[in-house]
Amino acid sequence: MNTLIPGTNRTPTISFNDGVLTISGRSYMENSVEFYAPIKKLIDEAEGPIVVEISLDFFNTSSSKCLMDLLTLVDKKCIAGQDCKVKWSYKADDEDMKDSAEEFRDILHHVPVELEEIDD
């Protein structure tokens, strides 16, 4: 199933194509749980390899919780034997996003998390 949710100034662009989930932009909407629920469902129902590519400029606390829930779901799929990985890109001058990505990586125990510093 291929899905595209266009981003806004408060919500990220989401695409899910052939097992690759891409989350990019900014994530600080009022109801993060409601926004991320269909994405979690896509991951939950996905069969085969899953790659999650994250490239966010900013996310708020409620989005952070939803992202962690989503990545924990991917981690559980990895435990169950599904081939999964996470690629998290952050701008070279964004220490906060780098720190956040490292914290997520340290919490996830089974799915490999690749951090990538990118130029602006």
Side-chain angles (χ1 to χ4, degrees):
M1 175 186 295
N2 295 334
T3 301
L4 176 65
I5 301 170
T8 69
N9 62 340
R10 298 179 70 89
T11 62
T13 298
I14 305 286
S15 70
F16 189 69
N17 295 310
D18 299 323
V20 179
L21 172 65
T22 304
I23 304 171
S24 61
R26 302 175 66 91
S27 183
Y28 64 103
M29 68 291 295
E30 287 186 28
N31 193 339
S32 299
V33 172
E34 183 179 310
F35 178 84
Y36 282 100
I39 295 118
K40 285 176 59 178
K41 184 176 180 187
L42 285 172
I43 292 297
D44 191 41
E45 295 174 352
E47 298 178 7
I50 297 173
V51 176
V52 179
E53 297 177 340
I54 300 172
S55 180
L56 292 169
D57 297 328
F58 177 81
F59 59 87
N60 63 5
T61 304
S62 64
S63 293
S64 175
K65 169 75 168 98
C66 291
L67 288 168
M68 190 71 248
D69 291 347
L70 181 86
L71 294 176
T72 299
L73 181 58
V74 174
D75 203 46
K76 288 178 181 176
K77 286 188 154 284
C78 192
I79 292 168
Q82 205 162 337
D83 186 21
C84 304
K85 67 180 167 181
V86 175
K87 296 180 180 180
W88 194 309
S89 302
Y90 57 90
K91 293 180 182 172
D93 64 348
D94 191 345
E95 285 295 318
D96 290 336
M97 191 58 65
K98 177 184 178 186
D99 290 346
S100 294
E102 289 173 343
E103 288 175 19
F104 275 78
R105 180 190 61 197
D106 293 344
I107 292 169
L108 300 168
H109 298 292
H110 301 282
V111 63
V113 179
E114 174 186 319
L115 305 182
E116 179 184 16
E117 184 177 290
I118 56 174
D119 294 326
D120 289 336

